[in-house]
Short mmCIF file of all heavy atoms in Angstrom, two decimals:
data_model
loop_
_atom_site.label_atom_id
_atom_site.label_comp_id
_atom_site.label_asym_id
_atom_site.label_seq_id
_atom_site.Cartn_x
_atom_site.Cartn_y
_atom_site.Cartn_z
N MET A 784 19.70 3.34 -61.22
CA MET A 784 20.32 3.51 -59.89
C MET A 784 19.89 2.35 -59.01
O MET A 784 18.69 2.10 -58.89
CB MET A 784 19.95 4.85 -59.33
CG MET A 784 20.68 5.18 -58.08
SD MET A 784 20.67 6.95 -57.85
CE MET A 784 19.93 7.08 -56.28
N PRO A 785 20.81 1.64 -58.36
CA PRO A 785 20.41 0.54 -57.51
C PRO A 785 19.61 0.99 -56.28
O PRO A 785 19.83 2.06 -55.76
CB PRO A 785 21.75 -0.10 -57.07
CG PRO A 785 22.79 0.95 -57.32
CD PRO A 785 22.25 1.86 -58.40
N GLU A 786 18.68 0.15 -55.87
CA GLU A 786 17.89 0.47 -54.70
C GLU A 786 18.74 0.36 -53.46
O GLU A 786 19.53 -0.55 -53.28
CB GLU A 786 16.71 -0.51 -54.63
CG GLU A 786 15.73 -0.15 -53.57
CD GLU A 786 14.48 -1.11 -53.57
OE1 GLU A 786 14.07 -1.47 -54.68
OE2 GLU A 786 14.07 -1.46 -52.49
N GLU A 787 18.54 1.33 -52.56
CA GLU A 787 19.31 1.31 -51.30
C GLU A 787 18.72 0.32 -50.31
O GLU A 787 17.51 0.10 -50.31
CB GLU A 787 19.26 2.73 -50.71
CG GLU A 787 20.02 3.76 -51.45
CD GLU A 787 20.09 5.08 -50.74
OE1 GLU A 787 19.99 5.13 -49.49
OE2 GLU A 787 20.21 6.10 -51.45
N PRO A 788 19.54 -0.28 -49.47
CA PRO A 788 19.03 -1.24 -48.47
C PRO A 788 18.15 -0.48 -47.47
O PRO A 788 18.27 0.69 -47.26
CB PRO A 788 20.29 -1.79 -47.86
CG PRO A 788 21.34 -0.85 -48.11
CD PRO A 788 20.98 -0.13 -49.40
N PRO A 789 17.23 -1.26 -46.83
CA PRO A 789 16.37 -0.58 -45.82
C PRO A 789 17.14 -0.08 -44.59
O PRO A 789 18.20 -0.62 -44.26
CB PRO A 789 15.42 -1.67 -45.42
CG PRO A 789 16.10 -2.91 -45.72
CD PRO A 789 16.96 -2.66 -46.91
N LEU A 790 16.65 0.93 -43.98
CA LEU A 790 17.25 1.43 -42.74
C LEU A 790 16.87 0.59 -41.54
O LEU A 790 15.82 -0.01 -41.53
CB LEU A 790 16.80 2.91 -42.54
CG LEU A 790 17.17 3.88 -43.62
CD1 LEU A 790 16.55 5.23 -43.31
CD2 LEU A 790 18.66 3.96 -43.81
N VAL A 791 17.70 0.60 -40.53
CA VAL A 791 17.42 -0.19 -39.33
C VAL A 791 16.05 0.24 -38.74
O VAL A 791 15.29 -0.64 -38.33
CB VAL A 791 18.59 0.03 -38.23
CG1 VAL A 791 18.11 -0.58 -36.94
CG2 VAL A 791 19.81 -0.54 -38.73
N ARG A 792 15.78 1.47 -38.70
CA ARG A 792 14.45 1.96 -38.10
C ARG A 792 13.31 1.43 -38.84
O ARG A 792 12.20 1.28 -38.31
CB ARG A 792 14.44 3.46 -38.01
CG ARG A 792 14.27 4.13 -39.32
CD ARG A 792 13.87 5.62 -39.13
NE ARG A 792 13.78 6.24 -40.43
CZ ARG A 792 14.73 6.93 -41.01
NH1 ARG A 792 15.84 7.15 -40.33
NH2 ARG A 792 14.56 7.39 -42.19
N ASP A 793 13.45 1.15 -40.16
CA ASP A 793 12.35 0.55 -40.92
C ASP A 793 12.18 -0.93 -40.70
O ASP A 793 11.09 -1.46 -40.65
CB ASP A 793 12.60 0.84 -42.45
CG ASP A 793 12.52 2.31 -42.80
OD1 ASP A 793 11.84 3.05 -42.05
OD2 ASP A 793 13.16 2.69 -43.76
N VAL A 794 13.29 -1.62 -40.54
CA VAL A 794 13.30 -3.04 -40.35
C VAL A 794 12.97 -3.46 -38.90
O VAL A 794 12.18 -4.36 -38.61
CB VAL A 794 14.59 -3.67 -40.76
CG1 VAL A 794 14.60 -5.19 -40.49
CG2 VAL A 794 14.88 -3.42 -42.27
N HIS A 795 13.54 -2.68 -37.93
CA HIS A 795 13.38 -2.98 -36.50
C HIS A 795 12.99 -1.67 -35.76
O HIS A 795 13.74 -1.17 -34.96
CB HIS A 795 14.66 -3.55 -35.92
CG HIS A 795 15.09 -4.86 -36.50
ND1 HIS A 795 14.44 -5.99 -36.25
CD2 HIS A 795 16.04 -5.10 -37.37
CE1 HIS A 795 15.01 -6.99 -36.92
NE2 HIS A 795 15.99 -6.46 -37.62
N PRO A 796 11.77 -1.16 -35.97
CA PRO A 796 11.39 0.09 -35.27
C PRO A 796 11.41 -0.03 -33.76
O PRO A 796 11.53 1.02 -33.10
CB PRO A 796 9.97 0.34 -35.80
CG PRO A 796 9.48 -0.96 -36.36
CD PRO A 796 10.70 -1.73 -36.76
N GLU A 797 11.29 -1.24 -33.22
CA GLU A 797 11.25 -1.36 -31.75
C GLU A 797 12.61 -1.02 -31.16
O GLU A 797 12.67 -0.78 -29.93
CB GLU A 797 10.90 -2.81 -31.36
CG GLU A 797 11.95 -3.85 -31.72
CD GLU A 797 11.91 -4.35 -33.16
OE1 GLU A 797 11.18 -3.83 -34.00
OE2 GLU A 797 12.71 -5.27 -33.47
N LEU A 798 13.63 -0.96 -31.94
CA LEU A 798 15.01 -0.64 -31.38
C LEU A 798 15.30 0.83 -31.28
O LEU A 798 16.21 1.24 -30.62
CB LEU A 798 16.07 -1.26 -32.28
CG LEU A 798 16.11 -2.77 -32.27
CD1 LEU A 798 17.16 -3.25 -33.25
CD2 LEU A 798 16.34 -3.38 -30.89
N ILE A 799 14.53 1.67 -31.96
CA ILE A 799 14.79 3.04 -32.04
C ILE A 799 14.91 3.74 -30.69
O ILE A 799 15.76 4.51 -30.42
CB ILE A 799 13.84 3.79 -32.97
CG1 ILE A 799 13.98 3.33 -34.39
CG2 ILE A 799 14.01 5.34 -32.88
CD1 ILE A 799 15.37 3.48 -34.96
N GLY A 800 13.96 3.39 -29.79
CA GLY A 800 14.01 3.94 -28.45
C GLY A 800 15.28 3.64 -27.71
O GLY A 800 15.79 4.43 -26.88
N GLU A 801 15.89 2.48 -27.99
CA GLU A 801 17.09 2.07 -27.35
C GLU A 801 18.36 2.62 -28.02
O GLU A 801 19.33 2.86 -27.39
CB GLU A 801 17.19 0.55 -27.31
CG GLU A 801 16.07 -0.11 -26.47
CD GLU A 801 16.18 -1.62 -26.46
OE1 GLU A 801 17.30 -2.14 -26.67
OE2 GLU A 801 15.14 -2.25 -26.24
N LEU A 802 18.26 2.76 -29.32
CA LEU A 802 19.48 3.16 -30.09
C LEU A 802 19.62 4.65 -30.21
O LEU A 802 20.76 5.22 -30.23
CB LEU A 802 19.42 2.57 -31.49
CG LEU A 802 19.55 1.06 -31.60
CD1 LEU A 802 19.40 0.64 -33.06
CD2 LEU A 802 20.82 0.57 -31.04
N GLY A 803 18.54 5.37 -30.28
CA GLY A 803 18.69 6.79 -30.53
C GLY A 803 17.36 7.59 -30.41
O GLY A 803 16.40 7.15 -29.85
N GLN A 804 17.44 8.75 -30.99
CA GLN A 804 16.36 9.68 -30.96
C GLN A 804 16.09 10.10 -32.40
O GLN A 804 16.90 9.95 -33.27
CB GLN A 804 16.73 10.91 -30.14
CG GLN A 804 17.22 10.54 -28.78
CD GLN A 804 17.94 11.69 -28.13
OE1 GLN A 804 17.33 12.56 -27.59
NE2 GLN A 804 19.24 11.71 -28.14
N SER A 805 14.92 10.70 -32.60
CA SER A 805 14.62 11.17 -33.96
C SER A 805 13.81 12.46 -33.91
O SER A 805 13.11 12.75 -32.90
CB SER A 805 13.88 10.16 -34.79
OG SER A 805 12.62 9.82 -34.15
N ILE A 806 13.90 13.19 -34.95
CA ILE A 806 13.17 14.46 -35.05
C ILE A 806 12.47 14.44 -36.43
O ILE A 806 13.16 14.34 -37.46
CB ILE A 806 14.06 15.69 -34.95
CG1 ILE A 806 14.83 15.72 -33.70
CG2 ILE A 806 13.25 17.01 -35.13
CD1 ILE A 806 15.98 16.69 -33.64
N ARG A 807 11.17 14.52 -36.42
CA ARG A 807 10.43 14.60 -37.70
C ARG A 807 10.13 16.04 -37.98
O ARG A 807 9.63 16.75 -37.11
CB ARG A 807 9.09 13.75 -37.52
CG ARG A 807 8.39 13.50 -38.83
CD ARG A 807 7.23 12.54 -38.59
NE ARG A 807 7.64 11.26 -38.05
CZ ARG A 807 8.13 10.26 -38.77
NH1 ARG A 807 8.34 10.40 -40.07
NH2 ARG A 807 8.42 9.10 -38.24
N THR A 808 10.47 16.51 -39.17
CA THR A 808 10.30 17.93 -39.50
C THR A 808 9.12 18.17 -40.41
O THR A 808 8.82 19.33 -40.76
CB THR A 808 11.55 18.53 -40.11
OG1 THR A 808 11.81 17.84 -41.34
CG2 THR A 808 12.73 18.35 -39.18
N SER A 809 8.42 17.07 -40.82
CA SER A 809 7.18 17.21 -41.60
C SER A 809 6.39 15.97 -41.41
O SER A 809 6.85 14.96 -40.96
CB SER A 809 7.56 17.41 -43.10
OG SER A 809 8.07 16.24 -43.65
N ASP A 810 5.08 16.09 -41.73
CA ASP A 810 4.20 14.93 -41.60
C ASP A 810 4.53 13.87 -42.64
O ASP A 810 4.84 14.20 -43.79
CB ASP A 810 2.74 15.39 -41.76
CG ASP A 810 2.24 16.25 -40.63
OD1 ASP A 810 2.76 16.10 -39.50
OD2 ASP A 810 1.35 17.09 -40.83
N HIS A 811 4.43 12.62 -42.21
CA HIS A 811 4.70 11.53 -43.10
C HIS A 811 4.05 10.26 -42.50
O HIS A 811 4.25 10.01 -41.35
CB HIS A 811 6.22 11.29 -43.29
CG HIS A 811 6.50 10.20 -44.29
ND1 HIS A 811 6.43 10.40 -45.63
CD2 HIS A 811 6.88 8.92 -44.06
CE1 HIS A 811 6.74 9.25 -46.23
NE2 HIS A 811 7.03 8.36 -45.29
N PRO A 812 3.31 9.50 -43.32
CA PRO A 812 2.67 8.32 -42.77
C PRO A 812 3.70 7.29 -42.28
O PRO A 812 4.65 6.99 -43.03
CB PRO A 812 1.87 7.72 -43.90
CG PRO A 812 1.75 8.87 -44.93
CD PRO A 812 2.93 9.74 -44.69
N ALA A 813 3.54 6.80 -41.08
CA ALA A 813 4.47 5.80 -40.49
C ALA A 813 4.51 4.57 -41.39
O ALA A 813 3.50 4.10 -41.86
CB ALA A 813 4.06 5.43 -39.09
N GLY A 814 5.71 4.04 -41.57
CA GLY A 814 5.89 2.80 -42.30
C GLY A 814 5.89 2.94 -43.78
O GLY A 814 6.04 1.99 -44.52
N GLN A 815 5.68 4.15 -44.31
CA GLN A 815 5.65 4.39 -45.73
C GLN A 815 6.97 4.93 -46.22
O GLN A 815 7.62 5.72 -45.55
CB GLN A 815 4.53 5.36 -46.13
CG GLN A 815 3.12 4.93 -45.71
CD GLN A 815 2.80 3.68 -46.58
OE1 GLN A 815 2.96 3.68 -47.77
NE2 GLN A 815 2.27 2.67 -45.91
N PRO A 816 7.45 4.53 -47.42
CA PRO A 816 8.70 5.11 -47.91
C PRO A 816 8.50 6.57 -48.26
O PRO A 816 7.38 7.02 -48.58
CB PRO A 816 8.94 4.23 -49.15
CG PRO A 816 7.66 3.70 -49.56
CD PRO A 816 6.85 3.57 -48.28
N PHE A 817 9.62 7.30 -48.29
CA PHE A 817 9.51 8.69 -48.67
C PHE A 817 9.29 8.88 -50.17
O PHE A 817 8.75 9.87 -50.63
CB PHE A 817 10.81 9.43 -48.27
CG PHE A 817 10.93 9.71 -46.77
CD1 PHE A 817 11.79 8.96 -45.99
CD2 PHE A 817 10.10 10.64 -46.21
CE1 PHE A 817 11.85 9.26 -44.64
CE2 PHE A 817 10.13 10.91 -44.83
CZ PHE A 817 11.03 10.20 -44.06
N GLY A 818 9.73 7.90 -51.02
CA GLY A 818 9.47 7.94 -52.41
C GLY A 818 10.45 8.72 -53.23
O GLY A 818 11.60 8.93 -52.77
N ALA A 819 10.04 9.16 -54.40
CA ALA A 819 10.91 9.83 -55.32
C ALA A 819 11.46 11.10 -54.74
O ALA A 819 10.79 11.79 -53.98
CB ALA A 819 10.14 10.15 -56.63
N GLY A 820 12.72 11.37 -55.03
CA GLY A 820 13.35 12.61 -54.50
C GLY A 820 13.98 12.40 -53.14
O GLY A 820 14.51 13.37 -52.57
N HIS A 821 13.93 11.20 -52.58
CA HIS A 821 14.48 10.95 -51.23
C HIS A 821 15.93 10.54 -51.36
O HIS A 821 16.35 9.82 -52.22
CB HIS A 821 13.73 9.81 -50.56
CG HIS A 821 14.36 9.34 -49.26
ND1 HIS A 821 15.11 8.20 -49.18
CD2 HIS A 821 14.43 9.91 -48.03
CE1 HIS A 821 15.56 8.07 -47.94
NE2 HIS A 821 15.13 9.10 -47.24
N ARG A 822 16.72 11.09 -50.39
CA ARG A 822 18.08 10.62 -50.24
C ARG A 822 18.41 10.66 -48.75
O ARG A 822 17.87 11.43 -48.03
CB ARG A 822 19.07 11.47 -51.07
CG ARG A 822 19.18 12.92 -50.65
CD ARG A 822 20.01 13.70 -51.68
NE ARG A 822 20.01 15.08 -51.38
CZ ARG A 822 21.04 15.74 -50.85
NH1 ARG A 822 22.16 15.10 -50.63
NH2 ARG A 822 20.90 17.02 -50.56
N CYS A 823 19.31 9.80 -48.37
CA CYS A 823 19.77 9.64 -46.99
C CYS A 823 21.15 10.29 -46.92
O CYS A 823 22.03 9.91 -47.68
CB CYS A 823 19.82 8.18 -46.60
SG CYS A 823 20.18 7.93 -44.92
N VAL A 824 21.34 11.22 -45.97
CA VAL A 824 22.60 11.94 -45.87
C VAL A 824 23.24 11.66 -44.51
O VAL A 824 22.78 12.18 -43.50
CB VAL A 824 22.44 13.49 -46.07
CG1 VAL A 824 23.72 14.19 -45.96
CG2 VAL A 824 21.72 13.79 -47.37
N PRO A 825 24.20 10.76 -44.43
CA PRO A 825 24.88 10.50 -43.14
C PRO A 825 25.90 11.62 -42.86
O PRO A 825 26.60 12.07 -43.74
CB PRO A 825 25.56 9.17 -43.40
CG PRO A 825 25.75 9.06 -44.85
CD PRO A 825 24.70 9.88 -45.47
N LEU A 826 25.90 12.06 -41.60
CA LEU A 826 26.83 13.09 -41.15
C LEU A 826 27.82 12.37 -40.24
O LEU A 826 27.53 11.34 -39.65
CB LEU A 826 26.13 14.21 -40.42
CG LEU A 826 25.02 14.90 -41.20
CD1 LEU A 826 24.36 15.96 -40.37
CD2 LEU A 826 25.52 15.54 -42.50
N LEU A 827 28.98 12.97 -40.08
CA LEU A 827 30.08 12.31 -39.34
C LEU A 827 30.50 13.18 -38.16
O LEU A 827 31.57 13.78 -38.18
CB LEU A 827 31.24 12.00 -40.26
CG LEU A 827 30.93 11.12 -41.46
CD1 LEU A 827 32.10 11.09 -42.43
CD2 LEU A 827 30.50 9.75 -41.02
N PRO A 828 29.65 13.25 -37.09
CA PRO A 828 30.08 14.01 -35.93
C PRO A 828 31.21 13.27 -35.13
O PRO A 828 31.47 12.13 -35.42
CB PRO A 828 28.81 14.09 -35.04
CG PRO A 828 28.09 12.81 -35.43
CD PRO A 828 28.42 12.59 -36.90
N GLU A 829 31.83 14.01 -34.25
CA GLU A 829 32.90 13.35 -33.47
C GLU A 829 32.36 12.25 -32.61
O GLU A 829 33.09 11.28 -32.34
CB GLU A 829 33.58 14.40 -32.58
CG GLU A 829 34.44 15.38 -33.34
CD GLU A 829 35.19 16.35 -32.43
OE1 GLU A 829 35.40 16.04 -31.27
OE2 GLU A 829 35.61 17.41 -32.95
N GLN A 830 31.12 12.38 -32.15
CA GLN A 830 30.52 11.32 -31.31
C GLN A 830 29.22 10.90 -31.96
O GLN A 830 28.43 11.73 -32.37
CB GLN A 830 30.28 11.85 -29.90
CG GLN A 830 29.56 10.80 -29.05
CD GLN A 830 29.12 11.43 -27.69
OE1 GLN A 830 29.46 12.51 -27.39
NE2 GLN A 830 28.30 10.69 -26.97
N GLY A 831 28.95 9.61 -31.95
CA GLY A 831 27.66 9.10 -32.45
C GLY A 831 27.49 9.21 -33.94
O GLY A 831 28.44 9.22 -34.68
N MET A 832 26.20 9.26 -34.36
CA MET A 832 25.88 9.28 -35.75
C MET A 832 24.64 10.14 -35.96
O MET A 832 23.70 10.08 -35.18
CB MET A 832 25.64 7.87 -36.22
CG MET A 832 25.36 7.75 -37.70
SD MET A 832 25.26 6.01 -38.12
CE MET A 832 23.73 5.98 -39.00
N LEU A 833 24.64 10.95 -37.02
CA LEU A 833 23.46 11.71 -37.38
C LEU A 833 23.20 11.40 -38.84
O LEU A 833 24.06 11.36 -39.70
CB LEU A 833 23.78 13.26 -37.27
CG LEU A 833 24.08 13.74 -35.86
CD1 LEU A 833 24.54 15.20 -35.97
CD2 LEU A 833 22.88 13.63 -34.98
N THR A 834 21.89 11.12 -39.14
CA THR A 834 21.48 10.81 -40.45
C THR A 834 20.30 11.67 -40.81
O THR A 834 19.33 11.78 -40.02
CB THR A 834 21.10 9.35 -40.61
OG1 THR A 834 22.22 8.52 -40.19
CG2 THR A 834 20.72 8.97 -42.06
N LEU A 835 20.35 12.35 -41.97
CA LEU A 835 19.26 13.16 -42.43
C LEU A 835 18.56 12.45 -43.56
O LEU A 835 19.11 11.91 -44.48
CB LEU A 835 19.79 14.50 -42.97
CG LEU A 835 20.73 15.34 -42.08
CD1 LEU A 835 21.16 16.57 -42.81
CD2 LEU A 835 20.04 15.63 -40.77
N ASP A 836 17.20 12.46 -43.53
CA ASP A 836 16.41 12.03 -44.66
C ASP A 836 15.97 13.31 -45.35
O ASP A 836 15.38 14.17 -44.71
CB ASP A 836 15.18 11.24 -44.21
CG ASP A 836 15.50 9.84 -43.81
OD1 ASP A 836 16.25 9.16 -44.53
OD2 ASP A 836 15.09 9.36 -42.71
N VAL A 837 16.34 13.44 -46.58
CA VAL A 837 16.03 14.64 -47.37
C VAL A 837 15.15 14.30 -48.55
O VAL A 837 15.45 13.32 -49.30
CB VAL A 837 17.41 15.25 -47.88
CG1 VAL A 837 17.12 16.52 -48.68
CG2 VAL A 837 18.32 15.55 -46.71
N VAL A 838 14.07 15.04 -48.73
CA VAL A 838 13.19 14.81 -49.88
C VAL A 838 13.07 16.12 -50.65
O VAL A 838 12.68 17.16 -50.10
CB VAL A 838 11.79 14.38 -49.40
CG1 VAL A 838 10.85 14.20 -50.61
CG2 VAL A 838 11.88 13.06 -48.64
N HIS A 839 13.46 16.06 -51.90
CA HIS A 839 13.46 17.25 -52.78
C HIS A 839 14.17 18.43 -52.13
O HIS A 839 13.68 19.55 -52.13
CB HIS A 839 12.03 17.62 -53.21
CG HIS A 839 11.35 16.54 -53.96
ND1 HIS A 839 11.77 16.15 -55.21
CD2 HIS A 839 10.33 15.75 -53.67
CE1 HIS A 839 11.01 15.14 -55.66
NE2 HIS A 839 10.07 14.89 -54.71
N GLY A 840 15.33 18.18 -51.46
CA GLY A 840 16.12 19.24 -50.90
C GLY A 840 15.74 19.68 -49.54
O GLY A 840 16.31 20.55 -48.94
N ARG A 841 14.67 19.09 -48.96
CA ARG A 841 14.17 19.52 -47.65
C ARG A 841 14.41 18.42 -46.62
O ARG A 841 14.06 17.27 -46.89
CB ARG A 841 12.65 19.80 -47.75
CG ARG A 841 12.09 20.28 -46.40
CD ARG A 841 10.67 20.71 -46.55
NE ARG A 841 10.20 21.15 -45.26
CZ ARG A 841 9.02 20.86 -44.76
NH1 ARG A 841 8.19 20.12 -45.46
NH2 ARG A 841 8.71 21.26 -43.57
N ILE A 842 14.99 18.76 -45.51
CA ILE A 842 15.18 17.79 -44.43
C ILE A 842 13.83 17.47 -43.82
O ILE A 842 13.12 18.33 -43.33
CB ILE A 842 16.13 18.31 -43.35
CG1 ILE A 842 17.47 18.58 -43.93
CG2 ILE A 842 16.23 17.35 -42.16
CD1 ILE A 842 18.44 19.37 -42.98
N VAL A 843 13.47 16.17 -43.87
CA VAL A 843 12.17 15.75 -43.33
C VAL A 843 12.30 14.87 -42.08
O VAL A 843 11.26 14.68 -41.41
CB VAL A 843 11.34 14.96 -44.41
CG1 VAL A 843 10.98 15.92 -45.54
CG2 VAL A 843 12.06 13.74 -44.89
N TYR A 844 13.49 14.33 -41.81
CA TYR A 844 13.67 13.47 -40.67
C TYR A 844 15.11 13.49 -40.27
O TYR A 844 16.03 13.45 -41.11
CB TYR A 844 13.25 12.06 -41.08
CG TYR A 844 13.13 11.07 -39.94
CD1 TYR A 844 11.94 10.99 -39.20
CD2 TYR A 844 14.15 10.21 -39.57
CE1 TYR A 844 11.81 10.04 -38.15
CE2 TYR A 844 14.01 9.25 -38.60
CZ TYR A 844 12.83 9.21 -37.88
OH TYR A 844 12.71 8.30 -36.85
N VAL A 845 15.41 13.56 -38.94
CA VAL A 845 16.72 13.53 -38.43
C VAL A 845 16.82 12.37 -37.44
O VAL A 845 16.04 12.27 -36.51
CB VAL A 845 17.11 14.83 -37.70
CG1 VAL A 845 18.54 14.80 -37.20
CG2 VAL A 845 16.92 16.05 -38.67
N GLU A 846 17.78 11.50 -37.70
CA GLU A 846 17.99 10.37 -36.80
C GLU A 846 19.27 10.57 -36.02
O GLU A 846 20.36 10.85 -36.59
CB GLU A 846 18.11 9.06 -37.60
CG GLU A 846 18.04 7.85 -36.77
CD GLU A 846 17.80 6.62 -37.65
OE1 GLU A 846 17.98 6.68 -38.90
OE2 GLU A 846 17.47 5.62 -37.07
N ILE A 847 19.23 10.47 -34.68
CA ILE A 847 20.35 10.77 -33.82
C ILE A 847 20.64 9.53 -33.06
O ILE A 847 19.80 9.03 -32.28
CB ILE A 847 20.02 11.94 -32.84
CG1 ILE A 847 19.55 13.13 -33.62
CG2 ILE A 847 21.18 12.26 -31.94
CD1 ILE A 847 18.73 14.12 -32.81
N ILE A 848 21.89 8.97 -33.24
CA ILE A 848 22.23 7.71 -32.64
C ILE A 848 23.48 7.84 -31.78
O ILE A 848 24.47 8.48 -32.24
CB ILE A 848 22.44 6.61 -33.71
CG1 ILE A 848 21.12 6.43 -34.51
CG2 ILE A 848 22.92 5.33 -33.12
CD1 ILE A 848 21.22 5.56 -35.70
N ASP A 849 23.46 7.22 -30.62
CA ASP A 849 24.61 7.17 -29.69
C ASP A 849 25.15 8.57 -29.35
O ASP A 849 26.27 8.91 -29.41
CB ASP A 849 25.75 6.34 -30.33
CG ASP A 849 26.82 5.99 -29.30
OD1 ASP A 849 26.47 5.94 -28.13
OD2 ASP A 849 27.96 5.76 -29.71
N ARG A 850 24.15 9.44 -28.94
CA ARG A 850 24.44 10.80 -28.49
C ARG A 850 23.65 11.03 -27.22
O ARG A 850 22.67 10.34 -26.98
CB ARG A 850 24.04 11.81 -29.53
CG ARG A 850 24.65 11.55 -30.88
CD ARG A 850 25.49 12.60 -31.50
NE ARG A 850 25.40 13.95 -31.01
CZ ARG A 850 26.44 14.77 -31.00
NH1 ARG A 850 27.62 14.30 -31.36
NH2 ARG A 850 26.31 15.97 -30.58
N PRO A 851 24.03 12.00 -26.40
CA PRO A 851 23.30 12.29 -25.19
C PRO A 851 21.83 12.66 -25.55
O PRO A 851 21.59 13.23 -26.59
CB PRO A 851 24.00 13.52 -24.59
CG PRO A 851 25.34 13.49 -25.18
CD PRO A 851 25.20 12.87 -26.55
N PRO A 852 20.90 12.41 -24.65
CA PRO A 852 19.46 12.71 -24.89
C PRO A 852 19.33 14.23 -25.19
O PRO A 852 19.97 15.05 -24.57
CB PRO A 852 18.75 12.34 -23.62
CG PRO A 852 19.68 11.41 -22.95
CD PRO A 852 21.05 11.74 -23.34
N LEU A 853 18.39 14.54 -26.04
CA LEU A 853 18.05 15.95 -26.31
C LEU A 853 17.28 16.49 -25.13
O LEU A 853 16.51 15.77 -24.52
CB LEU A 853 17.21 16.05 -27.60
CG LEU A 853 17.90 15.65 -28.91
CD1 LEU A 853 16.86 15.60 -30.01
CD2 LEU A 853 18.96 16.60 -29.22
N VAL A 854 17.45 17.78 -24.91
CA VAL A 854 16.69 18.44 -23.84
C VAL A 854 15.56 19.18 -24.47
O VAL A 854 15.76 19.96 -25.42
CB VAL A 854 17.61 19.45 -23.09
CG1 VAL A 854 16.82 20.19 -22.07
CG2 VAL A 854 18.77 18.69 -22.46
N VAL A 855 14.33 18.93 -24.02
CA VAL A 855 13.12 19.62 -24.59
C VAL A 855 12.96 20.93 -23.82
O VAL A 855 12.86 20.92 -22.59
CB VAL A 855 11.88 18.74 -24.43
CG1 VAL A 855 10.67 19.47 -24.93
CG2 VAL A 855 12.09 17.44 -25.18
N ARG A 856 12.99 21.98 -24.54
CA ARG A 856 12.78 23.33 -23.91
C ARG A 856 11.45 23.86 -24.42
O ARG A 856 11.22 23.94 -25.58
CB ARG A 856 13.95 24.27 -24.32
CG ARG A 856 15.24 23.84 -23.76
CD ARG A 856 16.33 24.84 -24.07
NE ARG A 856 17.58 24.34 -23.52
CZ ARG A 856 18.74 24.70 -23.92
NH1 ARG A 856 18.86 25.56 -24.88
NH2 ARG A 856 19.80 24.21 -23.36
N ARG A 857 10.70 24.27 -23.49
CA ARG A 857 9.34 24.77 -23.79
C ARG A 857 9.38 26.25 -23.71
O ARG A 857 9.96 26.85 -22.82
CB ARG A 857 8.33 24.21 -22.83
CG ARG A 857 8.32 22.72 -22.75
CD ARG A 857 6.96 22.18 -22.95
NE ARG A 857 6.96 20.71 -22.80
CZ ARG A 857 6.78 19.88 -23.81
NH1 ARG A 857 6.67 20.32 -25.02
NH2 ARG A 857 6.78 18.59 -23.61
N ARG A 858 8.66 26.88 -24.66
CA ARG A 858 8.58 28.35 -24.62
C ARG A 858 7.60 28.74 -23.54
O ARG A 858 6.61 28.09 -23.32
CB ARG A 858 8.08 28.88 -25.96
CG ARG A 858 9.07 28.70 -27.05
CD ARG A 858 8.53 29.31 -28.30
NE ARG A 858 9.54 29.22 -29.34
CZ ARG A 858 9.27 29.61 -30.58
NH1 ARG A 858 8.16 30.09 -30.93
NH2 ARG A 858 10.26 29.49 -31.46
N THR A 859 7.93 29.81 -22.82
CA THR A 859 7.01 30.27 -21.77
C THR A 859 6.37 31.58 -22.12
O THR A 859 6.75 32.25 -23.01
CB THR A 859 7.79 30.42 -20.46
OG1 THR A 859 8.87 31.30 -20.66
CG2 THR A 859 8.24 29.09 -19.96
#
C-alpha cells in the first residue's frame, strides 16, 4: 500500500491555530506518527472540513477546519 502524504498539521503545525481546531481523544506524543492501524477519514459537512484520525477502529484525533469556534462548556 502506498504511503500517504503528510498532513498539513504535521508539516506546518504553526498554521493550525489559524486554520482550525482540534480535539485529541487519547494521549499521543506530539510529532510522532500514529503508526500501524492508522487511517485518516475525511468527512464532508456542508460547511468546512472535518477529518478523523482513527487507530485500530478508535477515533484518536478530530481536526475541524473552517467552522465556527467550538464553545467550551464546563460542568458545574
Side-chain angles (χ1 to χ4, degrees):
M784 188 157 122
E786 187 175 321
E787 292 185 27
L790 300 175
V791 170
R792 70 166 179 263
D793 295 333
V794 177
H795 299 286
E797 70 278 5
L798 295 177
I799 294 304
E801 294 179 26
L802 294 176
Q804 306 164 81
S805 62
I806 302 167
R807 192 172 301 279
T808 63
S809 69
D810 291 332
H811 183 77
Q815 297 295 314
F817 285 108
H821 171 257
R822 64 189 175 106
C823 186
V824 181
L826 303 178
L827 303 172
E829 289 185 21
Q830 176 190 350
M832 183 173 130
L833 298 172
T834 304
L835 308 178
D836 284 313
V837 180
V838 178
H839 299 294
R841 181 173 181 224
I842 298 170
V843 295
Y844 192 83
V845 180
E846 191 167 16
I847 305 160
I848 299 173
D849 195 26
R850 306 239 341 146
L853 295 172
V854 176
V855 177
R856 295 185 180 156
R857 307 231 183 252
R858 291 183 177 176
T859 56

